[in-house]
Amino acid sequence: MESATTTNERTQAGDAPSQANSPEELFFPHQRKKNNNSGTKALYGTLKSNETARRWTIRVAIAALVATAFGLFTTDWRIGVTLGLATLVGITVHAARRESEIPRWRKPSAAQRKTEVQLRVMKQLGYRVLHARAVPGGNGQIDHFIVGRRGAFAIDSESWDRRLPLRNKLEKLYHGRFSKNERIDEALEEAKRAEELISKELGREISVRASLAIYGPGMPWDSHRLRGVDIITGTKVRKWLRTGRDRLDEREIEEIYEAAKKALPPRY
């Protein structure tokens, strides 16, 4: 029979690694990982908040310099303050148009940013929006997926040469002498694939309306349906979204949005 001393020594030797853990870690082994994740999120939030504060500090400083300079130049502080406030508003509007939910390293195109600015207004009206989503099973990308009261939409934003005319001839779209039918067919294929994946995720059928938002060349229409795809004047995206024929309630909008997040992973 082993002595009590030997048993205690073995117990102490075997338990040595376990004693390094706190009682909280013994009973809740995943707690430390969660704390680390929380710390990371907190750090990210702090950095983001600091970046926002830095931007506003710079904007206010520039506006103050403008106000001071013009106030001294005109010897009327009211003119200086007015021009300072106008400068602050102008900088804020310009920055808002350039900001994007797509990470900077993805370098969203100017056309994508213009559409994104319009969609921010629609988000305030209850529309849900996803940007730069991959379409599994293919190499395509949906620049903007939108779901709202009027249905689900897939928009690809394009910037084309404004010097070349855009015309529809025998159900074919030409930009100058160049056919754009292949690009239209790609947009339709992406939307149909997204429709299939989201319907599978939901467990019921939905429809996704395909479109191309074109910036640059003038068009004789705000939107025109061609080969199953709506060709939209880029600046009329919000107007086009209101032409949807579906009628979705808030619950359906949220369900489709959550299904789309799972079915269409981020491209970045």
Side-chain angles (χ1 to χ4, degrees), residues 8-20:
N8 290 338
E9 290 175 352
R10 289 183 179 179
T11 301
Q12 292 174 359
D15 290 347
S18 300
Q19 292 173 356

Side-chain angles (χ1 to χ4, degrees), residues 191-255:
K192 289 298 181 184
R193 180 60 178 159
E195 181 179 284
E196 176 186 339
L197 293 170
I198 296 171
S199 295
K200 183 177 180 181
E201 184 70 34
L202 275 174
R204 59 182 174 84
E205 295 294 325
I206 69 161
S207 62
V208 176
R209 193 167 168 183
S211 67
L212 282 176
I214 309 300
Y215 296 88
M219 291 188 284
W221 58 77
D222 289 342
S223 65
H224 177 66
R225 194 162 183 81
L226 185 63
R227 302 169 70 90
V229 176
D230 288 316
I231 311 301
I232 315 168
T233 300
T235 55
K236 303 294 184 179
V237 168
R238 285 182 292 177
K239 179 180 178 181
W240 172 77
L241 286 171
R242 297 188 179 97
T243 66
R245 298 180 179 86
D246 293 341
R247 294 295 182 270
L248 304 178
D249 57 33
E250 293 183 2
R251 179 183 59 81
E252 291 173 314
I253 292 172
E254 191 64 26
E255 287 177 350

Side-chain angles (χ1 to χ4, degrees), residues 39-52:
T40 302
K41 291 180 180 179
L43 177 61
Y44 174 77
T46 301
L47 292 175
K48 187 174 181 180
S49 177
N50 290 340
E51 178 67 15
T52 301

Side-chain angles (χ1 to χ4, degrees), residues 152-172:
F153 309 87
I155 301 178
D156 281 349
S157 298
E158 301 276 331
S159 183
W160 295 351
D161 192 338
R162 68 175 59 206
R163 296 170 297 179
L164 300 178
L166 198 65
R167 55 196 173 88
N168 172 23
K169 183 179 180 180
L170 300 176
E171 288 302 301
K172 294 181 180 180

Side-chain angles (χ1 to χ4, degrees), residues 109-153:
S109 68
Q112 289 174 317
R113 289 197 299 269
K114 289 177 181 178
T115 300
E116 186 178 350
V117 169
Q118 296 183 70
L119 294 177
R120 287 176 190 165
V121 177
M122 302 308 293
K123 289 170 70 174
Q124 296 175 4
L125 299 176
Y127 283 71
R128 307 301 300 272
V129 181
L130 297 170
H131 299 287
R133 311 303 285 197
V135 183
N139 296 322
Q141 167 183 302
I142 293 178
D143 292 341
H144 320 277
F145 177 85
I146 307 101
V147 57
R149 294 188 297 274
R150 296 298 181 92
F153 309 87

